[in-house]
Amino acid sequence: LQQRNDDEWMKYMKRAADAGLTVAQHNLGVHLLEQQKDFSEAMRYFRAASNAGFIHSTFNLGLMYLNGQGMAS
C-alpha cells in the first residue's frame, strides 16, 4: 500500500511541477534528492522553482553545487 501511495504522490506532484507550480517543483526536488538520489532531476526542479523566485529552492541549489551533486563529472 505504501508503494502505491508513493507512486500516486509522484504522479500528481510531477504533473503539478511540470505545470509550473513552484511549491510542487520544490517538493518534488526534495523528494528526488533525499529519497531517490536522482540529483540531476532534483537540480532541474530546484532550478525551475528558483527561477520563479522560490528562495528555498535557491538555497537547495546552492547546497547541491557545494556538494557537487547533479553536475556532470
Side-chain angles (χ1 to χ4, degrees):
L1 181 60
Q2 181 64 34
Q3 182 61 42
R4 191 179 87 201
N5 287 340
D6 289 347
D7 292 344
E8 285 291 305
W9 183 90
M10 280 292 291
K11 174 182 159 184
Y12 290 109
M13 192 60 62
K14 185 165 180 3
R15 185 180 297 169
D18 290 342
L21 185 64
T22 56
V23 173
Q25 291 167 338
H26 176 79
N27 289 340
L28 185 55
V30 169
H31 178 79
L32 291 166
L33 176 65
E34 294 179 358
Q35 301 298 316
Q36 296 188 3
K37 307 299 184 206
D38 188 344
F39 300 129
S40 61
E41 279 295 290
M43 183 167 270
R44 181 169 79 88
Y45 283 107
F46 285 143
R47 187 175 291 119
S50 177
N51 287 341
F54 201 79
I55 193 70
H56 302 293
S57 289
T58 306
F59 178 79
N60 285 355
L61 268 177
L63 288 178
M64 290 184 75
Y65 281 118
L66 181 68
N67 294 320
Q69 299 169 317
M71 299 166 20
S73 301

